[in-house]
Amino acid sequence: MAARIVPVHPDTDAWLVSGNLSIYAAGDGPRLAQLAARTLTAHPQVLRRNPEMLHKAWQMQVEARADFIEVFGTDILVLDPGEATARMREYHRHRQDKALAELDDETAAKAARGGPSLDELSSIPEEFHDANTVAVIYDETEGLCYYADFGHLDALFADPALTRDRAHLSRLREYLNDESVAPMVIRRLVQRHPENADAVFRALLRKPAFAWERDGEELLRRRKAKHFAHEPLPSVTPVGNRLAELLRTQGKKR
């Protein structure tokens, strides 16, 4: 059954069923669970409705990031696309082995059969396959992120003389103006080469007096206002035990 429930009043713990109820056959459970998981993935903000699950998601992200650092010794890798896939496979195998080691043999065998394959976990988005380089960043707040051509920008900040190359400046301008690129990425570039940040942004913005330490955050807030308009959410979305059980059932059917 699918239903909508609403709180009677903020000062009470009472809830009411609102609107029509939708009734489904028991066999529809796995299919509906998959739809629920897609909804959670597409709209992670629904986690805010459940403080306990939101807290769990942050904890899971902390643990996953710690494993990333344990495997690679850093939380950022700059690689060619093919190497990125291989390194992510190494990371997910470590995570999988660690998780299965905590289970008894029978449960571990079921988990290994029911979960996604290492190939599925390790694949990088198709749009990055033709990139010159891919940055894989496991940020404390933003979670696991992929960014194309990060190597070009890293080279630019390492050598401000490259500001004479329009292609380098154009890519940085795209990063700065693209709201899907988190401010964290720009900060990372500055942190890797702090002594060159002023020269790079002065050339990009054509503002000889620009100083990152004084003007950098204001620039990010102006160019990426949408990002600052909301509280951050974890990149990990946990599901309840029953939903996880139904999702495993759906996986077996496929």
Side-chain angles (χ1 to χ4, degrees):
M1 181 180 69
R4 181 175 184 265
I5 59 173
V6 296
V8 174
H9 191 276
D11 294 335
T12 76
D13 291 328
W15 294 70
L16 287 176
V17 174
S18 173
N20 297 324
L21 305 181
S22 299
I23 308 298
Y24 300 90
D28 291 335
R31 180 178 61 85
L32 294 174
Q34 193 174 32
L35 293 175
R38 289 177 183 171
T39 300
L40 283 170
T41 303
H43 306 284
Q45 63 271 18
V46 300
L47 273 177
R48 292 197 178 101
R49 300 179 185 176
N50 189 328
E52 182 179 339
M53 294 296 279
L54 180 60
H55 177 69
K56 181 179 180 180
W58 282 118
Q59 284 184 316
M60 293 172 64
Q61 180 164 296
V62 167
E63 293 168 3
R65 181 173 182 266
D67 286 339
F68 190 95
I69 295 173
E70 180 181 345
V71 173
F72 301 120
T74 178
D75 68 351
I76 177 172
L77 302 172
V78 184
L79 310 162
D80 67 67
E83 189 180 4
T85 299
R87 299 309 299 273
M88 290 309 297
R89 185 182 182 87
E90 181 183 348
Y91 164 68
H92 286 296
R93 179 178 292 280
H94 171 81
R95 292 270 295 163
Q96 186 180 76
D97 291 345
K98 181 179 177 181
L100 295 178
E102 298 175 356
L103 306 174
D104 61 74
D105 292 344
E106 183 179 353
T107 306
K110 290 181 179 179
R113 291 194 301 268
S117 68
L118 284 175
D119 288 340
E120 290 174 312
L121 291 170
S122 308
S123 62
I124 65 173
E126 287 187 13
E127 59 265 30
F128 295 108
H129 289 179
D130 295 328
N132 181 268
T133 59
V134 175
V136 185
I137 306 174
Y138 213 127
D139 185 69
E140 185 175 5
T141 301
E142 300 295 332
L144 184 62
C145 310
Y146 298 88
Y147 288 98
D149 298 328
F150 185 93
H152 277 312
L153 299 183
D154 196 49
L156 172 64
F157 278 80
D159 181 10
L162 291 174
T163 56
R164 293 192 289 268
D165 180 3
R166 290 184 179 179
H168 281 81
L169 283 183
S170 176
R171 195 68 174 120
L172 178 57
R173 187 174 292 107
E174 290 174 6
Y175 264 56
L176 190 60
N177 293 334
D178 187 345
E179 289 190 341
S180 70
V181 176
M184 168 273 296
V185 183
I186 305 297
R187 295 192 190 107
R188 291 280 184 143
L189 289 163
V190 172
Q191 290 166 4
R192 288 164 71 87
H193 310 284
E195 69 282 0
N196 297 330
D198 290 350
V200 170
F201 282 104
R202 286 170 183 173
L204 177 72
L205 303 173
R206 298 181 182 179
K207 293 183 177 181
F210 182 92
W212 175 264
E213 186 173 352
R214 182 191 64 216
D215 307 318
E217 282 302 309
E218 181 184 350
L219 174 67
L220 292 179
R221 288 183 175 275
R222 187 170 64 252
R223 296 293 182 92
K224 299 185 179 295
K226 186 176 180 180
H227 186 91
F228 288 98
H230 305 285
E231 288 293 321
L233 284 167
S235 63
V236 177
T237 304
V239 298
N241 292 336
R242 178 56 178 155
L243 183 54
E245 179 184 342
L246 289 168
L247 288 169
R248 284 194 291 270
T249 301
Q250 178 69 10
K252 291 176 183 177
K253 288 183 176 180
R254 290 200 306 269

